[in-house]
Amino acid sequence: MISHGKGIKVFSGNSNPRLARRICSLMGISLGESEVSSFSDGETFASFYETVRGSDVFVVQSTCTPVNKNLMELLIMIDALKRASAGCITAVIPYFGYARQDRKSKARDPITAKLVANMITTAGADRVLTMDLHASQIQGFFDIPVDNLVGNPIFVKYYAQKFGETHDNLMVVSPDVGSVSRARVFAQKLHTNLAIVDKRRPKANVSEVMNVIGNVKGYDCILVDDLIDTGGSLCNAVNALIKEGARNIYSCASHGVLSGPALDRLNNSPIQELALLDTIPPVDGGRCSKLKYLEAAPMFAEAIERIYEDISISKLAL
């Protein structure tokens, strides 16, 4: 229980209240009393049932599906807290939606990640705490401090326990060139080699595997990514690795968006297991037995405590 300095309060929107409650449990505090709902015409409103004047307030809200509704909830909660004289407001966004729209890939494209950053700042947030942004440069879209946690330590610990001390037949695989840095750090921590799946993306949610860079024959492979959406890229990469002689295929990602045909694709894929963090509420396990969810709450709880205590959180990435 944190017991010094200004008061600390944690509130939750409707996107992932389970994660918020777990964070509060680990911190030894109660989740703040609030209500976020809609009027009959669909307009969102927020009500807070305890004082926040002068407090350090943390609002836990992933901008996952329904993305626009959850984003509006976050903005309205921040505005309400600002007008209630909260001392410092931190938007805790375990999954930051719109992060894939971080640049203009063709003429007249929006840069929606920047627009969302502007809205969060304008609403009154003083800082942002998130995890595994799809593009790290999004931190620069904000004019307020952004702490970007990484899920790698959670997955490294999980796979180290799963496969034991010997990793002679284990290979970490990056699903595309853009994820090489993340996969390289992961491979270094597990003391394994690295392979890369070379692919191209002709349009959104569609990918084509070109070739596999590295020898994966006879290896158990772990595909490392930041998010899984429709599952097309993942399943194409799995099939490419199988063709190259890989033995068993595992995968991990911080964010399980799992939209559209994702679960059907996973069920029909030769992948052994997909490990995800609970930054987005877990789907019904009965629909896909290959899903394994790991807790992100301990890392967020420690990060919130460190922010409150003005202690560096960079060590959480070790």
Side-chain angles (χ1 to χ4, degrees):
M1 174 68 179
I2 300 171
S3 59
H4 68 83
K6 294 183 295 182
I8 182 171
K9 295 180 183 291
V10 177
F11 295 94
S12 174
N14 291 316
S15 69
N16 202 341
R18 176 183 171 275
L19 176 61
R21 287 193 294 269
R22 179 60 176 155
I23 290 172
C24 289
S25 174
L26 292 169
M27 294 174 62
I29 62 176
S30 298
L31 184 65
E33 294 185 25
S34 63
E35 177 186 4
V36 185
S37 189
S38 300
F39 294 110
S40 58
D41 65 349
E43 289 184 6
T44 300
F45 72 86
S47 298
F48 292 87
Y49 301 127
E50 57 187 84
T51 182
V52 296
R53 185 177 295 271
S55 298
D56 279 0
V57 179
F58 296 81
V59 181
V60 181
Q61 178 80 336
S62 282
T63 50
C64 52
T65 185
V67 180
N68 296 333
K69 182 177 185 297
N70 286 330
L71 176 58
M72 281 304 300
E73 284 189 4
L74 175 63
L75 297 174
I76 291 170
M77 291 179 75
I78 292 171
D79 180 76
L81 291 166
K82 192 72 173 180
R83 296 175 187 278
S85 301
C88 181
I89 303 170
T90 300
V92 182
I93 312 174
Y95 168 67
F96 185 85
Y98 285 110
R100 285 173 283 181
Q101 298 184 48
D102 63 305
R103 64 193 184 279
K104 293 183 67 172
S105 57
K106 63 181 186 299
R108 295 173 294 281
D109 271 358
I111 304 181
T112 316
K114 171 60 175 170
L115 172 62
V116 172
N118 289 344
M119 290 193 294
I120 291 171
T121 304
T122 301
D126 296 295
R127 69 185 307 128
V128 169
L129 174 63
T130 187
M131 174 173 277
D132 278 325
L133 286 169
H134 185 67
S136 58
Q137 68 264 23
I138 293 174
Q139 294 177 80
F141 291 0
F142 289 86
D143 294 324
I144 55 177
V146 176
D147 295 306
N148 184 29
L149 303 177
V150 293
N152 256 351
I154 301 173
F155 291 120
V156 168
K157 180 179 179 181
Y158 173 70
Y159 285 113
Q161 294 174 345
K162 185 180 184 70
F163 293 105
E165 296 298 326
T166 57
H167 305 304
D168 293 340
N169 295 316
L170 191 63
M171 177 82 72
V172 171
V173 181
S174 173
D176 53 43
V177 175
S179 298
V180 169
S181 296
R182 180 183 297 106
R184 181 180 291 114
V185 172
F186 193 84
Q188 289 172 346
K189 291 183 177 180
L190 279 180
H191 308 292
T192 66
N193 292 321
L194 175 68
I196 303 168
V197 175
D198 180 25
K199 72 178 184 183
R200 69 183 184 94
R201 190 179 293 278
K203 59 181 180 179
N205 292 130
V206 176
S207 69
E208 297 176 0
V209 172
M210 308 300 287
N211 51 54
V212 177
I213 303 171
N215 180 20
V216 298
K217 187 174 182 179
Y219 282 89
D220 290 331
C221 295
I222 305 174
L223 280 158
V224 181
D225 211 344
D226 64 317
L227 66 88
I228 306 296
D229 190 355
T230 63
S233 297
L234 173 63
C235 293
N236 286 342
V238 170
N239 293 333
L241 292 172
I242 292 293
K243 289 181 181 178
E244 293 294 323
R247 191 167 57 180
N248 296 307
I249 313 294
Y250 302 84
S251 182
C252 62
S254 295
H255 312 299
V257 179
L258 302 179
S259 65
L263 295 181
D264 290 335
R265 285 173 170 172
L266 287 171
N267 281 326
N268 296 326
S269 168
I271 192 171
Q272 298 292 315
E273 178 187 81
L274 171 59
L276 301 167
L277 300 183
D278 57 354
T279 57
I280 295 174
V283 301
D284 180 9
R287 297 176 60 192
C288 183
S289 60
K290 298 179 180 182
L291 297 180
K292 170 72 175 181
Y293 281 93
L294 307 178
E295 272 199 322
M299 183 171 287
F300 277 101
E302 184 172 354
I304 290 173
E305 289 178 346
R306 285 173 174 264
I307 291 171
Y308 177 68
E309 300 279 3
D310 291 326
I311 300 173
S312 170
I313 69 171
S314 60
K315 290 185 177 180
L316 295 181
L318 300 178

